[in-house]
Amino acid sequence: MNALPWLIITPLFGAFSMPILGLLGRKVREYWAVIISGFTFAIAARIFYSIWKSNEILLYTLGDVTPIGKGVNFPIRIIWEVDLFGALLALTVTFVSFLAIVYSLGYMKDDSGLDKYYTLVLVLELGMLGIVITGDIFNFYVFLEIMSIASYVLVAFRNDTWEGIEAGIKYMFVGSLASSFILLGIALLYGQYGTLTMAYLAVKVAENPTLVSRVALAFLIGGLLFKSGAVPVHMWLSDAHPAAPSSISAMLSGLVIKVGGVYAIARIVFGVFNPGLHEYLKALGAPSIDVNTLGWAIIFFGCLTLIVGNAMAVIQTDMKRLFAFSSVGQIGYILLGIGIGVVAYGEKAGEIALTGAVYHIVNHAVIKALLFFVAGAVIHQVGTKNLNELSGLARRMPLTTLSFLIGAAAIIGLPPLNGFASKWLIYESSAMYNPILAVIAVVGTVFSLAAYTRVLFTFLGIESERVKTATEPEKTMLIPMLFLVVIIILMGLLPWQINERVMLPVAKMLEQLKGEYIMALIKFIGGV
Amino acid sequence: MNVLYTTVGLIGVYLYVSFVSLLWDGLDRKLVARMQRRVGPPLLQPFYDFLKLASKESIIPRDSNKMFEVSPILALAASIALLAYTPIGFGPILATKGDVVVFIYLLALIAFIRVIGAVSSGSPYAQIGAQREVIMLASREAPMMLGLFVILWRLAKLDVEKPFSLETLYQHNIWEIGTPLTIVGSLVLLIVFIFWLASEIEVGYFNIPEAETEVAEGPMAEYSGRYLALFKLSSSLKEFASASLVVAIFFPWGLSQYLGISGMGAMLVDLIFHTIKVFTVLFISMSLFRAITGRLRVTQAVNLFWSRILPASIVGAILLAIDILGVIA
């Protein structure tokens, strides 16, 4: 039996049954959310394992066995096409969502309207899972909107605070604009090529790369850069993350900006406008899309993002805002990796960069989830996130401080922890490709080191009045944090094994040197 | 089996270096005392100090947190790990491609752990000392890294099996390249490294974070008893490791090939010869420097590093790079 549909069915069922089950009481509602998200995690793990084992792209047609319609010879139905990259993201999404839901049990217990909260969290998870498994570009848009709308509402969930409403409105207005860019891009592509299946679209674009396809690409990349919080359009992120409940910030920062942003960029670039295909066309003298320009545009925004994001993190006095800017900075590294993967396509440097980007997506999801959990615990126990008021938390909250120390060390990239390997790959590949890019990346890390050292002084330092009565948070909040600490250390101890066995195959499958993404569809519909 | 040999080797090196580095501390105090026309303490004074501190009661301040007690142990652990990557007359025990990064990282980490311990003590004196330590750390590492990387990069061009490993320093050295420019460049870098060494072990001009008379021992203000003993030992180990780096870069020659010894005996002879060279370098960079210079203000020291030593390091790096880049034929 194909497990793929269950990845969508389970959270969908969980979300839609929540209002009814929620009538049975608070405990039932909470256990139901935990069970559903745990079960989704198990399904994602199974799908990831089967794809990793067989090293083949998994396809699934909605409503029929083949996507081919009657009387036509091209796919007309929605297909889901999951390669290792998608499966890895699905695994990360379900893992972090599961921990965020467990964390919410303690963290959200003083809030009201929790039946809606758990419904929305499951819908958010559903939207992200849909994005990573779909092979249809309009279906991608629908899931992107599911994810975006759920996150608008969750950012403004505490609607009795001014900052929640303010950030929610800001996020919604500009987010809708970005979504409409993406929709416009998709509409242009459909108008030009008459298909919405990504792999088939790739064939069509290669046959006839018109100006319209270039404009569509620009609209898509522009919209998706917004969703990932790249620099000129990162302002929503630095407001949304501090205003949202911390469990949601962990999901927003760890997952939403990666799935809705950098994953989608990588998928559109490598799946639809494959650099290898277009370089091949160029070599033949046929019309093709200039992927180098695209790659350099991504590198440019990546470098800008990693400098501005990390530099802005240094001057923050609000803990969650600092973490939010640091997320912007880390997105810069991922974009830099993807950009080098495009311009150095088919070379060693490109492959290493792409591996580093994929690795950093997973690492940063885990680390940033931990850091936002820590921030949430501090806010929940002390009641402030202003770094100037907080000082000397270590004595009253030793486990939380330990989690912060590990998280901060990992995000800077200190060797025995997991952030090191992924950043190293990005530095190494950028140094191989163009040393100036490596210098920019290192400068970004120096800023990030400065930012986190400041918070470290806050946690250790002399005890302030405010924290004298603080205590450790309850178990449901502590356990996800400590679990993530263990994961970070374990991943840090086996960096090159993970890289060799998981991340490298993922990057190879994403890069698809032989057009695997397209070939998988052709094989599936029984073509050549 | 290999793991076992490595472990035994590391323990042996650790015991040896602990002994000689404490011995050097005694020698240093004696020498400085003689320079000031005092008799000075006996040669084995640091051992008595260590034993006395270890037997004293450790006082833990009321405002401190767990890291106050953990960081002396972490500092010693990092120093012992550093010894595994330190060239000591022969290649480091865990020599691999690129191990120079680990060496620099561990060296900076020891300083950083001291900072964490100081900040955790809850004392304002220690906080000031910790801030000074971070400022010094940020200023002194840049010229050293530039110099070290350019030397290893230059040596990697001479056909070595493990590029950017400290082991390569024993296969080729910078003097054997022999062109006048590289010799001048190496001499410039030697000066840079002598200054770096003095600031790494915080003597003379650079006795800024600890500054006994000014901020009451700085980072170490609140430490006593066992914890202080552990910190003292780890600084001595770091002192030896930093000086070993300078010796390995600029004076890597061993005695064993001239005496025609091989095997274990050669390693022993080289180790002892290396220790003598380390003592000589430390005599210049530590004892002399400590006896004849006073402390700078922290702004002056930062200024010295960024406006004098870093440019010197850049000049040295360019001179070393020139003939391989073919700028002048």
Side-chain angles (χ1 to χ4, degrees):
Chain A
M1 194 186 68
N2 199 337
L4 202 49
W6 295 98
L7 202 57
I8 296 299
I9 292 171
T10 316
L12 198 62
F13 174 67
F16 281 8
S17 58
M18 188 63 76
I20 299 166
L21 279 166
L23 296 175
L24 294 174
R26 180 185 187 112
K27 281 269 171 268
V28 177
R29 185 162 65 212
E30 290 175 350
Y31 288 139
W32 185 237
V34 172
I35 290 167
I36 288 291
S37 59
F39 195 56
T40 318
F41 175 53
I43 296 168
R46 202 192 127 161
I47 290 173
F48 175 75
Y49 181 73
S50 70
I51 297 179
W52 180 73
K53 193 92 190 159
S54 66
N55 209 24
E56 269 172 24
I57 296 175
L58 197 65
L59 281 112
Y60 179 81
T61 313
L62 269 78
D64 206 341
V65 288
T66 167
I68 300 289
K70 280 203 180 70
V72 287
N73 60 353
F74 56 86
I76 57 164
R77 293 195 174 82
I78 291 175
I79 60 158
W80 286 342
E81 187 164 0
V82 192
D83 62 359
L84 257 177
F85 186 37
L88 183 70
L89 262 284
L91 189 69
T92 316
V93 164
T94 50
F95 175 66
V96 174
S97 304
F98 174 63
L99 290 182
I101 285 175
V102 174
Y103 182 83
S104 311
L105 300 184
Y107 181 74
M108 294 299 285
K109 96 181 154 212
D110 305 326
D111 288 73
S112 60
L114 287 184
D115 50 340
K116 299 175 195 76
Y117 174 80
Y118 288 111
T119 310
L120 283 165
V121 173
L122 287 174
V123 168
L124 183 63
E125 188 182 355
L126 160 81
M128 289 191 284
L129 288 174
I131 291 173
V132 297
I133 65 171
T134 192
D136 183 283
I137 201 162
F138 189 74
N139 194 230
F140 158 74
Y141 174 74
V142 171
F143 279 120
L144 187 77
E145 277 298 271
I146 292 175
M147 180 192 85
S148 303
I149 290 170
S151 48
Y152 304 152
V153 183
L154 282 168
V155 164
F157 187 75
R158 286 178 170 158
N159 56 10
D160 53 342
T161 59
W162 67 268
E163 52 172 5
I165 298 295
E166 193 235 6
I169 288 180
K170 194 180 208 176
Y171 184 16
M172 187 180 71
F173 272 96
V174 274
S176 312
L177 194 64
S179 297
S180 58
F181 276 5
I182 295 168
L183 185 59
L184 188 56
I186 294 169
L188 286 174
L189 280 180
Y190 185 55
Q192 182 76 60
Y193 299 111
T195 180
L196 289 166
T197 309
M198 285 199 229
Y200 191 59
L201 200 57
V203 178
K204 285 294 194 184
V205 172
E207 277 172 8
N208 181 21
T210 55
L211 178 66
V212 173
S213 72
R214 274 160 239 214
V215 174
L217 178 64
F219 273 122
L220 283 170
I221 297 290
L224 292 172
L225 279 178
F226 172 89
K227 295 274 177 192
S228 53
V231 143
V233 281
H234 65 292
M235 67 293 165
W236 63 272
L237 195 148
S238 51
D239 283 338
H241 287 44
S246 287
S247 45
I248 299 308
S249 313
M251 282 176 80
L252 280 179
S253 179
L255 306 173
V256 168
I257 55 175
K258 306 219 178 56
V259 168
V262 283
Y263 168 84
I265 290 174
R267 177 59 75 219
I268 299 274
V269 169
F270 288 98
V272 181
F273 296 87
N274 188 281
L277 200 56
H278 288 274
E279 255 159 40
Y280 178 68
L281 289 175
K282 198 171 165 191
L284 289 182
S288 62
I289 286 172
D290 185 8
V291 279
N292 265 343
T293 316
L294 173 64
W296 276 109
I298 296 176
I299 291 176
F300 173 73
F301 285 115
C303 289
L304 205 61
T305 306
L306 75 88
I307 292 289
V308 174
N310 284 320
M312 288 292 285
V314 181
I315 55 169
Q316 300 304 319
T317 52
D318 178 326
M319 191 195 286
K320 284 182 84 178
R321 223 176 146 77
L322 190 151
F323 291 165
F325 272 113
S326 156
S327 283
V328 173
Q330 303 301 317
I331 283 291
Y333 288 102
I334 300 171
L335 284 176
L336 178 63
I338 293 176
I340 294 174
V342 175
V343 287
Y345 187 86
E347 292 167 30
K348 187 95 184 127
E351 194 171 280
I352 295 174
L354 212 53
T355 316
V358 173
Y359 203 167
H360 205 57
I361 289 177
V362 178
N363 281 344
H364 182 244
V366 176
I367 299 167
K368 220 13 116 37
L370 173 65
L371 286 175
F372 272 112
F373 285 169
V374 168
V378 170
I379 293 165
H380 193 258
Q381 299 305 113
V382 186
T384 178
K385 50 187 176 167
N386 188 338
L387 289 173
N388 296 333
E389 289 176 39
L390 291 164
S391 178
L393 276 167
R395 219 164 117 72
R396 310 286 169 184
M397 300 170 79
L399 287 174
T400 312
T401 307
L402 173 76
S403 309
F404 171 76
L405 274 179
I406 299 285
I411 206 155
I412 296 162
L414 297 191
L417 301 167
N418 67 354
F420 170 70
S422 53
K423 278 198 176 180
W424 182 261
L425 290 172
I426 293 173
Y427 295 149
E428 192 187 346
S429 59
S430 44
M432 274 162 81
Y433 187 70
N434 187 337
I436 296 167
L437 298 177
V439 171
I440 293 173
V442 170
V443 169
T445 302
V446 171
F447 281 131
S448 137
L449 175 68
Y452 281 97
T453 310
R454 264 191 69 226
V455 190
L456 188 74
F457 276 75
T458 302
F459 267 90
L460 298 175
I462 303 164
E463 215 167 43
S464 71
E465 281 307 311
R466 218 94 199 203
V467 303
K468 282 252 155 63
T469 52
T471 51
E472 282 286 5
E474 59 182 275
K475 281 208 183 64
T476 46
M477 292 167 76
L478 264 185
I479 289 169
M481 276 155 52
L482 295 178
F483 193 58
L484 284 172
V485 167
V486 172
I487 292 281
I488 286 174
I489 293 174
L490 281 183
M491 282 179 77
L493 291 179
L494 304 166
W496 306 120
Q497 288 84 340
I498 293 176
N499 180 43
E500 200 71 14
R501 303 195 51 145
V502 181
M503 302 304 166
L504 201 62
V506 169
K508 278 198 172 135
M509 218 180 209
L510 172 66
E511 198 180 18
Q512 41 157 346
L513 289 170
K514 300 193 193 74
E516 288 91 340
Y517 196 72
I518 300 165
M519 294 313 288
L521 176 78
I522 293 172
K523 216 169 98 187
F524 184 61
I525 60 180
V528 197
Chain B
M1 214 48 206
N2 216 344
V3 180
L4 190 69
Y5 279 132
T6 313
T7 318
V8 171
L10 181 57
I11 292 170
V13 167
Y14 164 56
L15 292 176
Y16 176 77
V17 173
S18 314
F19 176 75
V20 291
S21 62
L22 286 177
L23 184 69
W24 164 254
D25 282 345
L27 206 56
D28 167 62
R29 289 174 67 178
K30 193 86 187 166
L31 288 166
V32 173
R34 284 296 157 86
M35 287 179 221
Q36 297 165 343
R37 301 199 178 182
R38 291 185 282 117
V39 179
L43 211 53
L44 294 180
Q45 186 62 39
F47 294 92
Y48 308 139
D49 288 349
F50 182 81
L51 291 175
K52 182 181 162 196
L53 281 175
S55 65
K56 284 267 185 182
E57 181 196 10
S58 306
I59 295 162
I60 294 162
R62 194 183 46 214
D63 291 333
S64 72
N65 59 52
K66 206 75 198 153
M67 286 312 285
F68 180 79
E69 292 155 70
V70 177
S71 49
I73 299 162
L74 288 180
L76 187 62
S79 324
I80 296 171
L82 177 65
L83 291 180
Y85 293 95
T86 309
I88 38 169
F90 39 89
I93 300 171
L94 295 178
T96 49
K97 191 172 86 178
D99 65 9
V100 58
V101 181
V102 185
F103 185 88
I104 295 172
Y105 168 67
L106 284 172
L107 211 52
L109 191 66
I110 296 168
F112 204 72
I113 291 170
R114 259 162 67 99
V115 169
I116 288 183
V119 174
S120 303
S121 69
S123 148
Y125 286 115
Q127 293 255 9
I128 293 172
Q131 284 165 7
R132 290 179 168 197
E133 178 107 37
V134 171
I135 293 167
M136 288 303 294
L137 183 68
S139 329
R140 72 170 176 240
E141 298 297 330
M144 182 275 277
M145 281 200 250
L146 179 63
L148 186 52
F149 283 135
V150 84
I151 287 166
L152 288 173
W153 167 78
R154 185 65 186 80
L155 295 182
K157 300 281 176 194
L158 298 176
D159 185 34
V160 292
E161 50 188 288
K162 288 178 186 165
F164 290 91
S165 163
L166 293 175
E167 203 179 47
T168 58
L169 295 170
Y170 290 106
Q171 289 158 5
H172 297 281
N173 64 62
I174 40 173
W175 308 110
E176 78 183 34
I177 299 163
T179 57
L181 280 177
T182 52
I183 287 172
V184 174
S186 306
L187 286 174
V188 172
L189 286 180
L190 178 61
I191 295 165
V192 169
F193 269 85
I194 291 288
F195 270 92
W196 166 77
L197 182 60
S199 75
E200 186 73 49
I201 55 189
E202 292 168 1
V203 293
Y205 280 169
F206 309 108
N207 182 18
I208 294 164
E210 292 224 334
E212 300 91 17
T213 48
E214 198 180 324
V215 287
E217 288 273 334
M220 298 294 108
E222 295 294 329
Y223 277 103
S224 56
R226 249 189 345 267
Y227 298 126
L228 189 58
L230 289 180
F231 262 130
K232 294 261 183 215
L233 180 61
S234 79
S235 349
S236 294
L237 294 183
K238 188 176 120 176
E239 205 173 280
F240 189 89
S242 321
S244 292
L245 179 71
V246 178
V247 167
I249 294 172
F250 295 100
F251 318 106
W253 307 285
L255 267 185
S256 56
Q257 68 248 43
Y258 298 110
L259 298 176
I261 318 168
S262 63
M264 282 301 276
M267 283 173 97
L268 213 60
V269 167
D270 280 341
L271 182 60
I272 290 166
F273 188 52
H274 175 81
T275 311
I276 295 167
K277 286 185 286 186
V278 165
F279 282 5
T280 317
V281 166
L282 280 176
F283 174 70
I284 296 162
S285 186
M286 188 173 171
S287 310
L288 275 183
F289 202 60
R290 187 153 78 91
I292 61 178
T293 59
R295 184 186 318 126
L296 292 180
R297 281 203 304 273
V298 69
T299 46
Q300 290 171 326
V302 169
N303 210 358
L304 177 70
F305 268 106
W306 290 105
S307 70
R308 302 281 188 285
I309 297 180
L310 183 66
S313 184
I314 292 170
V315 168
I318 291 171
L319 289 178
L320 272 184
I322 268 176
D323 60 2
I324 203 147
L325 292 179
V327 185
I328 45 172

